[in-house]
Amino acid sequence: MSHRWAFGFRTAALLTLLPGLGAHGQAAAPSKPQPSYAGLLVTCAEFREGTWGIYTLDDKGQLQLVVRGGMWPHYAPDRRSFMFVRAGNLWLHRMDTGANLASPFEKHMCACRGDLSWRPDGRAVCFIWTDAWEIALIHPLRVLDMRVEAFGSDRAAFDFSRSVSTDGDDHGFPAVSRSGTLAFCALRRHSDVGISRSHVLVQQPPGGRQRYLRITDWPDTMVETKPCWSPDGKNLAFEALDLTTSVRQVWNYDVESRKLQRVLERIPGAESEPLLTDTWLYGWQPNGTGLLLGYGQAGRIVPAVSGLVVSRGDGSTLVVPHQGGNSNIWDAAWSPDGQRVAYILGDYAEPAGANAVLNHSIHILHLDDPERWDEANHTPYDVTHDPGHRSALTPVSLEW
């Protein structure tokens, strides 16, 4: 069956503490060092139970429940709260009180964290609005802002002056830059093939009537998705899937020059393995110029991920060590300081049901010390040999 990987990892290193004196001349008690995965949020599926939840990791790297039934968390800019999806609605979780506040508007249709984006001041969230009736009629969607104070109240607080609607297309993947510039995809959905056409649009510079510029002149066979702003708002990365070849690539758009450039022209290992043709996007390095990319094999609706690579702004790359094989990277995320990468490594759950092989684990890599690994959580390798873990938590998505 699947192969178990042995990683050389160490426990989280203690922070260097400076000696200090208390008010009465006694040495101040040293603060407890934070584990390397502090603040990491994990969406998990509970095996066989069919339930979901959002978890964090304790000092020992074990999963601790934060929101039962929640999924796809998305931190606010100040990291004091996060948005998440539960029961088909958007919710706000406040970190200080633990309160979960529901949106009064139950027609978000958000399926993942890519369907919403925080405004840079943290006072509103930008999301896609629709309902099932409109989808059936293939009516255009709208991108709306909803103020944070609407959560937990009985009335929505929308800023309709920022609503967006383009005739004849749906909308998806809203992304707001640090300066407040909106990017999104104008797309067309078909129930039998999913997204059949999608192009990235970017808001024109502020002032005058709001207009949106399509950033490519590619044919509809190039499906553009997942726009993602750089920390300084000067670049926009996105994925493009060529429907004629099934190859997925990551591109970077320079807002000022309006130039497009493919990211990672040469995929690691492609010289010896020609099937390694795909790259896809996990996000920009916080306060940096690096892009975290996955790379792997085409030929699947969701390509198999063979590894991770950091593509830096100066053109250099850093390949994240990964031993490949039958394991697959399910998701990856940057730490807030941009110095660590977390990812979920796991085997495909085949066959399904009681005989499923889980073998999922969360790994933390320190970019300043590539030999250092932390493994925060590990699910059972084979649940058929471990009946006590038939309800094991399976990590599927990360937010940091």
Side-chain angles (χ1 to χ4, degrees):
M1 267 243 175
S2 301
H3 183 70
R4 297 188 68 179
W5 302 114
F7 286 92
F9 64 89
R10 306 171 188 170
T11 57
L14 297 177
L15 297 177
T16 302
L17 300 175
L18 295 176
L21 296 178
H24 301 286
Q26 299 178 348
S31 60
K32 188 176 182 179
Q34 291 292 317
S36 64
Y37 39 79
L40 183 65
L41 297 175
V42 187
T43 297
C44 293
E46 190 172 356
F47 179 64
R48 292 187 64 185
E49 298 297 329
T51 58
W52 292 78
I54 298 172
Y55 294 77
T56 187
L57 294 160
D58 62 19
D59 291 349
K60 297 181 180 179
Q62 300 300 307
L63 293 167
Q64 299 296 323
L65 182 66
V66 178
V67 178
R68 187 176 301 279
M71 57 185 68
W72 324 131
H74 192 12
Y75 271 119
D78 62 5
R79 299 181 61 83
R80 296 180 181 178
S81 61
F82 61 81
M83 207 72 61
F84 67 95
V85 179
R86 181 167 66 178
N89 195 10
L90 275 181
W91 292 68
L92 180 71
H93 176 84
R94 297 194 180 279
M95 307 288 287
D96 54 351
T97 65
N100 295 314
L101 307 175
S103 164
F105 190 63
E106 299 179 356
K107 300 178 181 179
H108 303 312
M109 297 297 289
C110 292
C112 65
R113 62 176 177 262
D115 289 334
L116 60 91
S117 180
W118 284 90
R119 287 288 172 180
D121 58 8
R123 296 180 180 178
V125 61
C126 181
F127 68 95
I128 300 298
W129 170 80
T130 187
D131 59 29
W133 178 249
E134 285 191 310
I135 290 179
L137 295 177
I138 319 181
H139 281 181
L141 296 158
R142 291 183 175 87
V143 183
L144 294 177
D145 279 356
M146 185 166 63
R147 293 190 289 275
V148 168
E149 59 264 26
F151 287 85
S153 72
D154 58 356
R155 57 180 299 181
F158 294 114
D159 185 352
F160 287 100
S161 66
R162 292 180 176 174
S163 65
V164 178
S165 180
T166 55
D167 295 335
D169 286 306
D170 294 343
H171 295 162
F173 306 102
V176 182
S177 73
R178 179 177 294 181
S179 62
T181 302
L182 173 65
F184 63 93
C185 291
L187 53 88
R188 179 158 294 171
R189 306 175 193 267
H190 289 280
S191 58
D192 55 342
V193 296
I195 297 175
S196 62
R197 187 185 75 188
S198 181
H199 298 292
V200 177
L201 279 73
V202 175
Q203 183 179 356
Q204 288 289 323
R209 181 182 176 183
Q210 284 190 350
R211 295 184 300 117
Y212 296 88
L213 170 73
R214 180 177 160 184
I215 63 175
T216 72
D217 57 0
W218 298 340
D220 291 345
T221 54
M222 293 291 287
V223 177
E224 306 160 20
T225 57
K226 301 180 182 178
C228 181
W229 287 103
S230 62
D232 59 10
K234 296 181 179 180
N235 291 271
L236 184 72
F238 63 97
E239 292 183 7
L241 172 64
D242 188 340
L243 295 179
T244 62
T245 62
S246 298
V247 171
R248 188 186 310 266
Q249 300 173 349
V250 176
W251 291 77
N252 182 42
Y253 174 72
D254 186 294
V255 175
E256 183 176 354
S257 66
R258 299 186 179 181
K259 291 183 178 179
L260 284 163
Q261 183 177 3
R262 181 183 170 186
V263 181
L264 200 65
E265 294 279 354
R266 300 180 62 183
I267 298 176
E271 295 82 1
S272 58
E273 181 51 76
L275 292 178
L276 294 179
T277 58
D278 283 43
T279 56
W280 51 99
L281 178 62
Y282 287 117
W284 290 90
Q285 182 180 19
N287 301 317
T289 61
L291 274 169
L292 181 61
L293 308 177
Y295 65 91
Q297 178 178 345
R300 300 173 182 264
I301 296 176
V302 179
V305 185
S306 291
L308 296 170
V309 62
V310 177
S311 178
R312 298 189 177 102
D314 59 5
S316 63
T317 58
L318 171 65
V319 178
V320 177
H322 170 47
Q323 302 193 11
N326 294 329
S327 292
N328 191 40
I329 295 174
W330 287 55
D331 196 17
W334 287 102
S335 63
D337 62 6
Q339 300 304 309
R340 290 157 290 160
V341 170
Y343 67 87
I344 299 171
L345 185 67
D347 299 315
Y348 288 110
E350 296 176 349
N355 297 323
V357 175
L358 300 181
N359 195 25
H360 282 222
S361 55
I362 301 171
H363 297 270
I364 313 295
L365 173 70
H366 299 253
L367 297 185
D368 59 349
D369 184 3
E371 298 299 322
R372 178 184 172 189
W373 297 81
D374 299 322
E375 186 175 3
N377 182 80
H378 197 283
T379 56
Y381 174 63
D382 189 340
V383 296
T384 62
H385 297 155
D386 193 357
H389 288 82
R390 288 286 177 100
S391 295
L393 296 171
T394 305
V396 295
S397 179
L398 299 174
E399 165 77 358
W400 207 346

